[in-house]
């Protein structure tokens, strides 16, 4: 999955006929050619999108309060919590609340010996042809053993443009947002990012 | 873009305006020119002065017929005419011996000045040209040409534009003053 990048947000491709139709709604002679107007519109649209992408920040789109796992929690406990919350991963904190890593489905699958991105069919094939399904490997381990560390984190002031670049370059799906003092304040997931694009589209309506 | 290819155009004209727009353009330009011409023929003519110059016909197209245009705003109307009149009279007084040169300099320098001062008003080019080719009656005015007919005429046209253009709901003038 590719995260959308700023430069891919091309302006709505209006035609000169659209411009002419719009001009007909305005009384009075408008002394600009539809072609020139289109050029101005496209340049202005690009500027507006850039401005919106830079003004919408992590603090506006993040989910909070943040659900955090403890690093000495057993995997059995963690799986129960994550499945109850219907989420596929979470940041991990040590005793004093400082973030030390992030755990996701990928880490569980890696621990089970499947590699980071197996398909469901690969897992099904493995489980059907082997006894025990390798899930047993998850007993007797703690979150601290399998989490990805150090965590990749963002700041509340990070723009959604920067966040989406981070998502696609680091191949991550969730970004814990921490204050300067390391205190976690929220999390931006791919879902939050997708939702922010809807907000952008709403805002850019005239 | 290829040099010759540019000459093909390829763009489109803006749409035709409605009947109301034609009507108000007509009312405005009739009133504006009537005001200027009445003052010209009934008052100033007898004093050996003038108020009507050809470039006001062109200004009427803009300030009564294309009132949204940046070229038609008060800054452009007044600034364009006055600057061009100064340039035109100067060009005639310095280069009048070579009328072809005076004419070309008057118009080209006017356009440059109007661009630089953000007062571009196409009829200004005509105002500058008239200062050179307008004959004895214009030449003897000297720099008075800048004030009467140019500035005064433009002000009369502007007052009529303010009165007429703001009557219909669909129109508003000016877009900006300066």
């Amino acid at each position: 999955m590719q995260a959308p990048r700023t430069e891919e947000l091309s302006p709505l491709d209006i035609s000169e006929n659209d411009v002419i139709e719009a001009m007909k709604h305005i009384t009075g002679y408008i002394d600009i050619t539809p072609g020139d107007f289109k050029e101005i519109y496209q340049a202005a649209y690009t500027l507006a999108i850039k401005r919106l992408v830079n003004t919408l920040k992590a603090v506006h789109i993040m989910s909070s309060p943040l659900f955090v796992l403890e690093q000495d929690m057993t995997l059995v406990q963690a799986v129960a919590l994550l499945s109850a919350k219907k989420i596929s991963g979470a940041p991990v904190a040590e005793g004093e609340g400082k973030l030390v890593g992030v755990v996701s489905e990928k880490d569980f699958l890696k621990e089970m010996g499947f590699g980071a991105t197996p398909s469901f069919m690969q897992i099904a094939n493995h489980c059907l042809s082997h006894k025990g399904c390798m899930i047993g490997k998850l007993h007797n381990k703690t979150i601290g053993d399998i989490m990805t560390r150090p965590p990749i984190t963002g700041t509340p002031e990070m723009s959604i443009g920067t966040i989406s670049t981070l998502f696609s370059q680091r191949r991550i799906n969730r970004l814990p947002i921490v204050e300067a003092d390391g205190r976690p304040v929220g999390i931006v997931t791919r879902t939050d990012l997708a939702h922010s694009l809807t907000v952008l589209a709403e805002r850019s309506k005239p | 873009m290829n040099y010759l290819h540019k000459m093909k155009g390829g763009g489109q004209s803006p749409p035709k305006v409605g009947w109301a727009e034609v009507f108000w353009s007509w009312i405005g330009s009739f009133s504006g020119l009537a005001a200027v011409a009445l003052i010209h023929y009934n008052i100033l003519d007898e004093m050996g002065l003038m108020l009507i110059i050809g470039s006001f016909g062109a200004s009427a197209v803009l300030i009564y017929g294309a009132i949204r245009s940046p070229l038609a705003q008060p800054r452009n109307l007044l600034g364009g005419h006055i600057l061009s009149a100064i340039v035109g009279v100067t060009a005639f007084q310095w280069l009048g011996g070579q009328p072809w040169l005076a004419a070309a300099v008057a118009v080209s320098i006017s356009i440059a000045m109007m661009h630089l001062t953000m007062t571009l008003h196409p009829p200004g080019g005509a105002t500058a040209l008239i200062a050179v080719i307008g004959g004895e009656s214009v030449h003897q005015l000297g720099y008075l040409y800048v004030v009467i007919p140019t500035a005064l005429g433009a002000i009369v046209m502007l007052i009529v534009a303010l009165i007429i253009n703001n009557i219909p709901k669909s129109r508003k003038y000016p877009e900006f003053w300066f």
Side-chain angles (χ1 to χ4, degrees):
Chain A
M1 197 167 102
Q2 271 281 305
R5 263 177 245 125
T6 319
E7 58 268 23
E8 283 167 9
L9 294 168
S10 65
L12 182 65
D13 202 15
I14 57 166
S15 71
E16 289 191 23
N17 278 330
D18 294 334
V19 176
I20 290 176
E21 284 307 311
M23 281 178 165
K24 283 181 186 165
H25 290 287
I26 296 172
T27 52
Y29 182 79
I30 308 196
D31 68 342
I32 184 168
T33 61
D36 280 356
F37 177 84
K38 188 180 149 185
E39 222 178 295
I40 293 171
Y41 165 83
Q42 286 172 334
Y45 189 97
T46 307
L47 288 174
I49 289 294
K50 265 192 195 150
R51 178 168 44 79
L52 287 171
V53 164
N54 288 328
T55 51
L56 212 51
K57 304 201 181 294
V59 65
H60 302 128
I61 66 166
M62 67 187 185
S63 311
S64 58
L66 182 60
F67 171 70
V68 185
L69 292 171
E70 292 288 330
Q71 69 169 340
D72 48 13
M73 204 176 257
T74 66
L75 294 190
V76 179
Q77 287 174 301
V79 165
L81 276 171
L82 291 173
S83 68
K85 290 220 163 246
K86 293 183 180 164
I87 54 176
S88 60
V92 182
E94 40 115 60
E96 286 162 23
K98 191 170 168 286
L99 287 193
V100 288
V102 177
V103 76
S104 71
E105 282 174 354
K106 281 184 198 170
D107 299 308
F108 283 90
L109 291 164
K110 243 189 265 172
E111 187 59 26
M112 288 163 70
F114 286 114
T117 52
S119 72
F120 171 75
M121 288 305 163
Q122 282 172 282
I123 297 171
N125 178 44
H126 195 96
C127 288
L128 292 172
S129 52
H130 294 73
K131 207 177 155 195
C133 208
M134 299 171 88
I135 199 88
K137 286 191 178 181
L138 298 184
H139 284 292
N140 308 322
K141 290 237 160 113
T142 65
I143 285 292
D145 296 332
I146 70 160
M147 69 185 181
T148 303
R149 72 173 87 192
I152 301 166
T153 58
T155 64
E157 290 307 302
M158 201 174 258
S159 75
I160 63 167
T162 313
I163 293 174
S164 67
T165 309
L166 210 54
F167 273 22
S168 62
Q169 281 179 355
R170 306 296 291 268
R171 296 169 183 278
I172 53 175
N173 298 309
R174 55 179 62 74
L175 185 71
I177 303 300
V178 297
E179 290 284 6
D181 57 10
R183 192 167 45 88
V185 288
I187 189 163
V188 174
T189 63
R190 276 190 186 253
T191 315
D192 296 325
L193 198 65
H195 181 70
S196 76
L197 293 179
T198 319
V199 176
L200 275 188
E202 288 292 320
R203 278 214 212 165
S204 52
K205 275 179 191 161
Chain B
M1 201 187 284
N2 178 284
Y3 177 70
L4 288 173
H5 184 76
K6 288 188 195 172
M7 296 185 192
K8 284 170 73 178
Q12 293 183 67
S13 162
K16 188 169 85 181
V17 297
W19 282 106
E21 194 63 21
V22 176
F23 174 77
W24 285 106
S25 298
W26 184 86
I27 293 280
S29 49
F30 179 87
S31 312
L33 265 298
V36 171
L38 277 171
I39 298 170
H40 174 88
Y41 289 111
N42 292 350
I43 304 169
L44 295 176
D45 210 19
E46 294 161 16
M47 301 159 61
L49 291 171
M50 62 172 79
L51 194 62
I52 200 160
I53 49 175
S55 50
F56 290 158
S59 284
V61 176
L62 284 164
I63 69 169
Y64 307 116
I67 68 171
R68 287 172 176 271
S69 170
L71 304 174
Q73 304 310 308
R75 178 192 175 97
N76 301 68
L77 172 73
L78 300 178
H81 275 301
I82 293 168
L83 272 173
S84 302
I86 296 170
V87 172
V89 173
T90 307
F92 175 76
Q93 294 193 349
W94 290 5
L95 305 164
Q98 301 280 342
W100 69 270
L101 185 60
V105 165
V107 175
S108 57
I109 300 289
S110 295
I111 294 172
M113 293 292 288
M114 288 191 286
H115 265 313
L116 291 173
T117 54
M118 298 204 303
T119 58
L120 196 67
H121 184 65
T127 297
L129 185 58
I130 289 165
V132 176
I133 65 167
E136 197 48 39
S137 57
V138 169
H139 295 157
Q140 70 186 11
L141 293 175
Y143 282 98
L144 181 62
Y145 173 76
V146 178
V147 184
I148 302 173
T150 305
L152 186 61
I155 288 168
V156 172
M157 300 261 293
L158 175 60
I159 291 169
V160 175
L162 290 168
I163 295 169
I164 304 287
N165 289 342
N166 289 307
I167 295 173
K169 265 190 189 157
S170 60
R171 280 183 155 206
K172 172 189 171 287
Y173 182 84
E175 298 279 326
F176 60 88
W177 272 92
F178 293 107

PDB file of all heavy atoms in Angstrom, chain B residues 14-43:
ATOM      1  N   PRO B  14     -14.246  34.358 -24.047  1.00  0.00           N
ATOM      2  CA  PRO B  14     -15.208  34.283 -22.944  1.00  0.00           C
ATOM      3  C   PRO B  14     -16.636  34.306 -23.500  1.00  0.00           C
ATOM      4  O   PRO B  14     -16.846  34.721 -24.645  1.00  0.00           O
ATOM      5  CB  PRO B  14     -14.921  35.552 -22.129  1.00  0.00           C
ATOM      6  CG  PRO B  14     -13.610  36.060 -22.589  1.00  0.00           C
ATOM      7  CD  PRO B  14     -13.417  35.575 -23.987  1.00  0.00           C
ATOM      8  N   PRO B  15     -17.632  33.859 -22.703  1.00  0.00           N
ATOM      9  CA  PRO B  15     -19.004  33.789 -23.235  1.00  0.00           C
ATOM     10  C   PRO B  15     -19.609  35.164 -23.513  1.00  0.00           C
ATOM     11  O   PRO B  15     -19.156  36.171 -22.987  1.00  0.00           O
ATOM     12  CB  PRO B  15     -19.768  33.069 -22.122  1.00  0.00           C
ATOM     13  CG  PRO B  15     -18.964  33.271 -20.885  1.00  0.00           C
ATOM     14  CD  PRO B  15     -17.544  33.366 -21.313  1.00  0.00           C
ATOM     15  N   LYS B  16     -20.657  35.150 -24.357  1.00  0.00           N
ATOM     16  CA  LYS B  16     -21.376  36.392 -24.669  1.00  0.00           C
ATOM     17  C   LYS B  16     -22.160  36.836 -23.442  1.00  0.00           C
ATOM     18  O   LYS B  16     -22.665  36.011 -22.691  1.00  0.00           O
ATOM     19  CB  LYS B  16     -22.340  36.120 -25.830  1.00  0.00           C
ATOM     20  CG  LYS B  16     -23.014  37.355 -26.381  1.00  0.00           C
ATOM     21  CD  LYS B  16     -23.742  37.049 -27.674  1.00  0.00           C
ATOM     22  CE  LYS B  16     -25.126  36.511 -27.404  1.00  0.00           C
ATOM     23  NZ  LYS B  16     -25.829  36.192 -28.672  1.00  0.00           N
ATOM     24  N   VAL B  17     -22.259  38.150 -23.235  1.00  0.00           N
ATOM     25  CA  VAL B  17     -22.997  38.651 -22.069  1.00  0.00           C
ATOM     26  C   VAL B  17     -24.498  38.674 -22.359  1.00  0.00           C
ATOM     27  O   VAL B  17     -24.930  38.596 -23.510  1.00  0.00           O
ATOM     28  CB  VAL B  17     -22.534  40.076 -21.669  1.00  0.00           C
ATOM     29  CG1 VAL B  17     -21.084  40.063 -21.253  1.00  0.00           C
ATOM     30  CG2 VAL B  17     -22.776  41.063 -22.792  1.00  0.00           C
ATOM     31  N   GLY B  18     -25.293  38.796 -21.279  1.00  0.00           N
ATOM     32  CA  GLY B  18     -26.746  38.826 -21.426  1.00  0.00           C
ATOM     33  C   GLY B  18     -27.252  40.184 -21.868  1.00  0.00           C
ATOM     34  O   GLY B  18     -26.498  41.160 -21.921  1.00  0.00           O
ATOM     35  N   TRP B  19     -28.565  40.232 -22.148  1.00  0.00           N
ATOM     36  CA  TRP B  19     -29.182  41.475 -22.636  1.00  0.00           C
ATOM     37  C   TRP B  19     -29.108  42.597 -21.615  1.00  0.00           C
ATOM     38  O   TRP B  19     -28.930  43.764 -21.973  1.00  0.00           O
ATOM     39  CB  TRP B  19     -30.645  41.232 -23.032  1.00  0.00           C
ATOM     40  CG  TRP B  19     -30.745  40.559 -24.363  1.00  0.00           C
ATOM     41  CD1 TRP B  19     -31.066  39.255 -24.602  1.00  0.00           C
ATOM     42  CD2 TRP B  19     -30.489  41.141 -25.645  1.00  0.00           C
ATOM     43  NE1 TRP B  19     -31.016  38.984 -25.950  1.00  0.00           N
ATOM     44  CE2 TRP B  19     -30.678  40.124 -26.616  1.00  0.00           C
ATOM     45  CE3 TRP B  19     -30.115  42.416 -26.082  1.00  0.00           C
ATOM     46  CZ2 TRP B  19     -30.492  40.340 -27.978  1.00  0.00           C
ATOM     47  CZ3 TRP B  19     -29.947  42.639 -27.440  1.00  0.00           C
ATOM     48  CH2 TRP B  19     -30.142  41.602 -28.367  1.00  0.00           C
ATOM     49  N   ALA B  20     -29.243  42.259 -20.318  1.00  0.00           N
ATOM     50  CA  ALA B  20     -29.200  43.296 -19.286  1.00  0.00           C
ATOM     51  C   ALA B  20     -27.842  43.996 -19.312  1.00  0.00           C
ATOM     52  O   ALA B  20     -27.766  45.221 -19.171  1.00  0.00           O
ATOM     53  CB  ALA B  20     -29.445  42.673 -17.909  1.00  0.00           C
ATOM     54  N   GLU B  21     -26.811  43.206 -19.524  1.00  0.00           N
ATOM     55  CA  GLU B  21     -25.459  43.764 -19.549  1.00  0.00           C
ATOM     56  C   GLU B  21     -25.295  44.709 -20.754  1.00  0.00           C
ATOM     57  O   GLU B  21     -24.708  45.789 -20.641  1.00  0.00           O
ATOM     58  CB  GLU B  21     -24.456  42.612 -19.612  1.00  0.00           C
ATOM     59  CG  GLU B  21     -23.028  43.002 -19.323  1.00  0.00           C
ATOM     60  CD  GLU B  21     -22.798  43.527 -17.917  1.00  0.00           C
ATOM     61  OE1 GLU B  21     -23.614  43.255 -17.018  1.00  0.00           O
ATOM     62  OE2 GLU B  21     -21.800  44.239 -17.734  1.00  0.00           O
ATOM     63  N   VAL B  22     -25.863  44.295 -21.888  1.00  0.00           N
ATOM     64  CA  VAL B  22     -25.803  45.150 -23.085  1.00  0.00           C
ATOM     65  C   VAL B  22     -26.541  46.456 -22.822  1.00  0.00           C
ATOM     66  O   VAL B  22     -26.049  47.551 -23.114  1.00  0.00           O
ATOM     67  CB  VAL B  22     -26.441  44.419 -24.303  1.00  0.00           C
ATOM     68  CG1 VAL B  22     -26.466  45.341 -25.521  1.00  0.00           C
ATOM     69  CG2 VAL B  22     -25.677  43.131 -24.609  1.00  0.00           C
ATOM     70  N   PHE B  23     -27.719  46.333 -22.191  1.00  0.00           N
ATOM     71  CA  PHE B  23     -28.550  47.495 -21.902  1.00  0.00           C
ATOM     72  C   PHE B  23     -27.821  48.499 -21.000  1.00  0.00           C
ATOM     73  O   PHE B  23     -27.735  49.693 -21.320  1.00  0.00           O
ATOM     74  CB  PHE B  23     -29.855  47.028 -21.236  1.00  0.00           C
ATOM     75  CG  PHE B  23     -30.731  48.149 -20.760  1.00  0.00           C
ATOM     76  CD1 PHE B  23     -31.508  48.876 -21.676  1.00  0.00           C
ATOM     77  CD2 PHE B  23     -30.790  48.478 -19.410  1.00  0.00           C
ATOM     78  CE1 PHE B  23     -32.314  49.914 -21.243  1.00  0.00           C
ATOM     79  CE2 PHE B  23     -31.603  49.519 -18.971  1.00  0.00           C
ATOM     80  CZ  PHE B  23     -32.364  50.237 -19.888  1.00  0.00           C
ATOM     81  N   TRP B  24     -27.250  48.001 -19.890  1.00  0.00           N
ATOM     82  CA  TRP B  24     -26.591  48.907 -18.953  1.00  0.00           C
ATOM     83  C   TRP B  24     -25.293  49.475 -19.527  1.00  0.00           C
ATOM     84  O   TRP B  24     -24.905  50.598 -19.201  1.00  0.00           O
ATOM     85  CB  TRP B  24     -26.366  48.221 -17.604  1.00  0.00           C
ATOM     86  CG  TRP B  24     -27.658  48.125 -16.844  1.00  0.00           C
ATOM     87  CD1 TRP B  24     -28.412  47.007 -16.652  1.00  0.00           C
ATOM     88  CD2 TRP B  24     -28.379  49.209 -16.245  1.00  0.00           C
ATOM     89  NE1 TRP B  24     -29.556  47.310 -15.959  1.00  0.00           N
ATOM     90  CE2 TRP B  24     -29.563  48.664 -15.694  1.00  0.00           C
ATOM     91  CE3 TRP B  24     -28.154  50.580 -16.116  1.00  0.00           C
ATOM     92  CZ2 TRP B  24     -30.507  49.453 -15.015  1.00  0.00           C
ATOM     93  CZ3 TRP B  24     -29.085  51.355 -15.445  1.00  0.00           C
ATOM     94  CH2 TRP B  24     -30.252  50.793 -14.909  1.00  0.00           C
ATOM     95  N   SER B  25     -24.624  48.706 -20.378  1.00  0.00           N
ATOM     96  CA  SER B  25     -23.435  49.232 -21.060  1.00  0.00           C
ATOM     97  C   SER B  25     -23.836  50.404 -21.958  1.00  0.00           C
ATOM     98  O   SER B  25     -23.134  51.423 -22.045  1.00  0.00           O
ATOM     99  CB  SER B  25     -22.781  48.148 -21.928  1.00  0.00           C
ATOM    100  OG  SER B  25     -22.353  47.068 -21.145  1.00  0.00           O
ATOM    101  N   TRP B  26     -24.990  50.227 -22.596  1.00  0.00           N
ATOM    102  CA  TRP B  26     -25.464  51.283 -23.497  1.00  0.00           C
ATOM    103  C   TRP B  26     -25.835  52.541 -22.711  1.00  0.00           C
ATOM    104  O   TRP B  26     -25.391  53.653 -23.039  1.00  0.00           O
ATOM    105  CB  TRP B  26     -26.672  50.796 -24.309  1.00  0.00           C
ATOM    106  CG  TRP B  26     -27.121  51.830 -25.308  1.00  0.00           C
ATOM    107  CD1 TRP B  26     -26.635  51.993 -26.566  1.00  0.00           C
ATOM    108  CD2 TRP B  26     -28.104  52.856 -25.092  1.00  0.00           C
ATOM    109  NE1 TRP B  26     -27.240  53.066 -27.162  1.00  0.00           N
ATOM    110  CE2 TRP B  26     -28.145  53.615 -26.286  1.00  0.00           C
ATOM    111  CE3 TRP B  26     -28.933  53.203 -24.025  1.00  0.00           C
ATOM    112  CZ2 TRP B  26     -29.000  54.698 -26.436  1.00  0.00           C
ATOM    113  CZ3 TRP B  26     -29.778  54.298 -24.179  1.00  0.00           C
ATOM    114  CH2 TRP B  26     -29.808  55.040 -25.380  1.00  0.00           C
ATOM    115  N   ILE B  27     -26.647  52.356 -21.657  1.00  0.00           N
ATOM    116  CA  ILE B  27     -27.060  53.504 -20.831  1.00  0.00           C
ATOM    117  C   ILE B  27     -25.844  54.259 -20.302  1.00  0.00           C
ATOM    118  O   ILE B  27     -25.754  55.488 -20.365  1.00  0.00           O
ATOM    119  CB  ILE B  27     -27.916  53.027 -19.623  1.00  0.00           C
ATOM    120  CG1 ILE B  27     -29.245  52.453 -20.103  1.00  0.00           C
ATOM    121  CG2 ILE B  27     -28.144  54.158 -18.620  1.00  0.00           C
ATOM    122  CD1 ILE B  27     -30.284  53.483 -20.442  1.00  0.00           C
ATOM    123  N   GLY B  28     -24.893  53.505 -19.773  1.00  0.00           N
ATOM    124  CA  GLY B  28     -23.704  54.118 -19.173  1.00  0.00           C
ATOM    125  C   GLY B  28     -22.906  54.907 -20.192  1.00  0.00           C
ATOM    126  O   GLY B  28     -22.561  56.075 -19.963  1.00  0.00           O
ATOM    127  N   SER B  29     -22.606  54.288 -21.322  1.00  0.00           N
ATOM    128  CA  SER B  29     -21.746  54.959 -22.294  1.00  0.00           C
ATOM    129  C   SER B  29     -22.467  56.144 -22.930  1.00  0.00           C
ATOM    130  O   SER B  29     -21.852  57.188 -23.188  1.00  0.00           O
ATOM    131  CB  SER B  29     -21.273  53.970 -23.363  1.00  0.00           C
ATOM    132  OG  SER B  29     -22.362  53.232 -23.878  1.00  0.00           O
ATOM    133  N   PHE B  30     -23.787  56.009 -23.135  1.00  0.00           N
ATOM    134  CA  PHE B  30     -24.546  57.144 -23.678  1.00  0.00           C
ATOM    135  C   PHE B  30     -24.466  58.336 -22.715  1.00  0.00           C
ATOM    136  O   PHE B  30     -24.147  59.453 -23.112  1.00  0.00           O
ATOM    137  CB  PHE B  30     -26.011  56.754 -23.925  1.00  0.00           C
ATOM    138  CG  PHE B  30     -26.849  57.877 -24.453  1.00  0.00           C
ATOM    139  CD1 PHE B  30     -26.914  58.116 -25.829  1.00  0.00           C
ATOM    140  CD2 PHE B  30     -27.547  58.727 -23.593  1.00  0.00           C
ATOM    141  CE1 PHE B  30     -27.659  59.168 -26.327  1.00  0.00           C
ATOM    142  CE2 PHE B  30     -28.285  59.789 -24.083  1.00  0.00           C
ATOM    143  CZ  PHE B  30     -28.354  60.008 -25.451  1.00  0.00           C
ATOM    144  N   SER B  31     -24.715  58.048 -21.419  1.00  0.00           N
ATOM    145  CA  SER B  31     -24.723  59.124 -20.421  1.00  0.00           C
ATOM    146  C   SER B  31     -23.336  59.738 -20.269  1.00  0.00           C
ATOM    147  O   SER B  31     -23.199  60.971 -20.169  1.00  0.00           O
ATOM    148  CB  SER B  31     -25.186  58.587 -19.061  1.00  0.00           C
ATOM    149  OG  SER B  31     -26.348  57.814 -19.217  1.00  0.00           O
ATOM    150  N   GLY B  32     -22.318  58.886 -20.216  1.00  0.00           N
ATOM    151  CA  GLY B  32     -20.952  59.370 -20.015  1.00  0.00           C
ATOM    152  C   GLY B  32     -20.499  60.272 -21.142  1.00  0.00           C
ATOM    153  O   GLY B  32     -19.984  61.378 -20.906  1.00  0.00           O
ATOM    154  N   LEU B  33     -20.688  59.813 -22.367  1.00  0.00           N
ATOM    155  CA  LEU B  33     -20.263  60.622 -23.514  1.00  0.00           C
ATOM    156  C   LEU B  33     -21.127  61.873 -23.658  1.00  0.00           C
ATOM    157  O   LEU B  33     -20.627  62.942 -24.034  1.00  0.00           O
ATOM    158  CB  LEU B  33     -20.296  59.790 -24.803  1.00  0.00           C
ATOM    159  CG  LEU B  33     -18.966  59.136 -25.198  1.00  0.00           C
ATOM    160  CD1 LEU B  33     -17.893  60.183 -25.468  1.00  0.00           C
ATOM    161  CD2 LEU B  33     -18.470  58.180 -24.122  1.00  0.00           C
ATOM    162  N   ALA B  34     -22.436  61.737 -23.311  1.00  0.00           N
ATOM    163  CA  ALA B  34     -23.318  62.905 -23.380  1.00  0.00           C
ATOM    164  C   ALA B  34     -22.826  63.987 -22.422  1.00  0.00           C
ATOM    165  O   ALA B  34     -22.755  65.173 -22.787  1.00  0.00           O
ATOM    166  CB  ALA B  34     -24.755  62.499 -23.039  1.00  0.00           C
ATOM    167  N   ALA B  35     -22.471  63.586 -21.208  1.00  0.00           N
ATOM    168  CA  ALA B  35     -22.001  64.552 -20.212  1.00  0.00           C
ATOM    169  C   ALA B  35     -20.739  65.266 -20.696  1.00  0.00           C
ATOM    170  O   ALA B  35     -20.648  66.498 -20.662  1.00  0.00           O
ATOM    171  CB  ALA B  35     -21.731  63.839 -18.882  1.00  0.00           C
ATOM    172  N   VAL B  36     -19.783  64.486 -21.171  1.00  0.00           N
ATOM    173  CA  VAL B  36     -18.530  65.081 -21.633  1.00  0.00           C
ATOM    174  C   VAL B  36     -18.761  65.990 -22.839  1.00  0.00           C
ATOM    175  O   VAL B  36     -18.240  67.109 -22.915  1.00  0.00           O
ATOM    176  CB  VAL B  36     -17.498  63.969 -21.963  1.00  0.00           C
ATOM    177  CG1 VAL B  36     -16.280  64.553 -22.660  1.00  0.00           C
ATOM    178  CG2 VAL B  36     -17.072  63.235 -20.696  1.00  0.00           C
ATOM    179  N   ALA B  37     -19.579  65.520 -23.772  1.00  0.00           N
ATOM    180  CA  ALA B  37     -19.798  66.282 -25.001  1.00  0.00           C
ATOM    181  C   ALA B  37     -20.594  67.569 -24.735  1.00  0.00           C
ATOM    182  O   ALA B  37     -20.324  68.609 -25.334  1.00  0.00           O
ATOM    183  CB  ALA B  37     -20.527  65.409 -26.028  1.00  0.00           C
ATOM    184  N   LEU B  38     -21.563  67.496 -23.811  1.00  0.00           N
ATOM    185  CA  LEU B  38     -22.350  68.697 -23.482  1.00  0.00           C
ATOM    186  C   LEU B  38     -21.454  69.783 -22.893  1.00  0.00           C
ATOM    187  O   LEU B  38     -21.535  70.947 -23.292  1.00  0.00           O
ATOM    188  CB  LEU B  38     -23.464  68.343 -22.485  1.00  0.00           C
ATOM    189  CG  LEU B  38     -24.740  67.764 -23.101  1.00  0.00           C
ATOM    190  CD1 LEU B  38     -25.682  67.241 -22.015  1.00  0.00           C
ATOM    191  CD2 LEU B  38     -25.452  68.843 -23.952  1.00  0.00           C
ATOM    192  N   ILE B  39     -20.606  69.378 -21.955  1.00  0.00           N
ATOM    193  CA  ILE B  39     -19.683  70.358 -21.362  1.00  0.00           C
ATOM    194  C   ILE B  39     -18.754  70.916 -22.445  1.00  0.00           C
ATOM    195  O   ILE B  39     -18.483  72.121 -22.506  1.00  0.00           O
ATOM    196  CB  ILE B  39     -18.873  69.727 -20.214  1.00  0.00           C
ATOM    197  CG1 ILE B  39     -19.806  69.269 -19.096  1.00  0.00           C
ATOM    198  CG2 ILE B  39     -17.823  70.704 -19.679  1.00  0.00           C
ATOM    199  CD1 ILE B  39     -19.144  68.422 -18.016  1.00  0.00           C
ATOM    200  N   HIS B  40     -18.299  70.011 -23.323  1.00  0.00           N
ATOM    201  CA  HIS B  40     -17.384  70.416 -24.382  1.00  0.00           C
ATOM    202  C   HIS B  40     -18.014  71.455 -25.305  1.00  0.00           C
ATOM    203  O   HIS B  40     -17.471  72.552 -25.489  1.00  0.00           O
ATOM    204  CB  HIS B  40     -16.965  69.179 -25.184  1.00  0.00           C
ATOM    205  CG  HIS B  40     -16.122  69.486 -26.386  1.00  0.00           C
ATOM    206  ND1 HIS B  40     -14.752  69.578 -26.334  1.00  0.00           N
ATOM    207  CD2 HIS B  40     -16.462  69.729 -27.689  1.00  0.00           C
ATOM    208  CE1 HIS B  40     -14.275  69.849 -27.543  1.00  0.00           C
ATOM    209  NE2 HIS B  40     -15.296  69.945 -28.383  1.00  0.00           N
ATOM    210  N   TYR B  41     -19.198  71.121 -25.865  1.00  0.00           N
ATOM    211  CA  TYR B  41     -19.775  71.979 -26.900  1.00  0.00           C
ATOM    212  C   TYR B  41     -20.459  73.209 -26.334  1.00  0.00           C
ATOM    213  O   TYR B  41     -20.514  74.261 -26.979  1.00  0.00           O
ATOM    214  CB  TYR B  41     -20.745  71.178 -27.775  1.00  0.00           C
ATOM    215  CG  TYR B  41     -20.008  70.191 -28.659  1.00  0.00           C
ATOM    216  CD1 TYR B  41     -20.113  68.817 -28.442  1.00  0.00           C
ATOM    217  CD2 TYR B  41     -19.191  70.638 -29.686  1.00  0.00           C
ATOM    218  CE1 TYR B  41     -19.419  67.916 -29.230  1.00  0.00           C
ATOM    219  CE2 TYR B  41     -18.488  69.740 -30.484  1.00  0.00           C
ATOM    220  CZ  TYR B  41     -18.599  68.382 -30.252  1.00  0.00           C
ATOM    221  OH  TYR B  41     -17.912  67.516 -31.022  1.00  0.00           O
ATOM    222  N   ASN B  42     -21.037  73.095 -25.109  1.00  0.00           N
ATOM    223  CA  ASN B  42     -21.803  74.228 -24.595  1.00  0.00           C
ATOM    224  C   ASN B  42     -21.005  75.189 -23.741  1.00  0.00           C
ATOM    225  O   ASN B  42     -21.413  76.321 -23.530  1.00  0.00           O
ATOM    226  CB  ASN B  42     -23.013  73.725 -23.778  1.00  0.00           C
ATOM    227  CG  ASN B  42     -24.031  73.037 -24.688  1.00  0.00           C
ATOM    228  OD1 ASN B  42     -23.916  73.116 -25.919  1.00  0.00           O
ATOM    229  ND2 ASN B  42     -24.989  72.368 -24.092  1.00  0.00           N
ATOM    230  N   ILE B  43     -19.890  74.724 -23.185  1.00  0.00           N
ATOM    231  CA  ILE B  43     -19.140  75.608 -22.284  1.00  0.00           C
ATOM    232  C   ILE B  43     -17.712  75.874 -22.784  1.00  0.00           C
ATOM    233  O   ILE B  43     -17.339  76.982 -23.099  1.00  0.00           O
ATOM    234  CB  ILE B  43     -19.088  75.043 -20.848  1.00  0.00           C
ATOM    235  CG1 ILE B  43     -20.513  74.787 -20.323  1.00  0.00           C
ATOM    236  CG2 ILE B  43     -18.331  75.991 -19.919  1.00  0.00           C
ATOM    237  CD1 ILE B  43     -20.574  74.003 -19.044  1.00  0.00           C
TER     238      ILE B  43
END
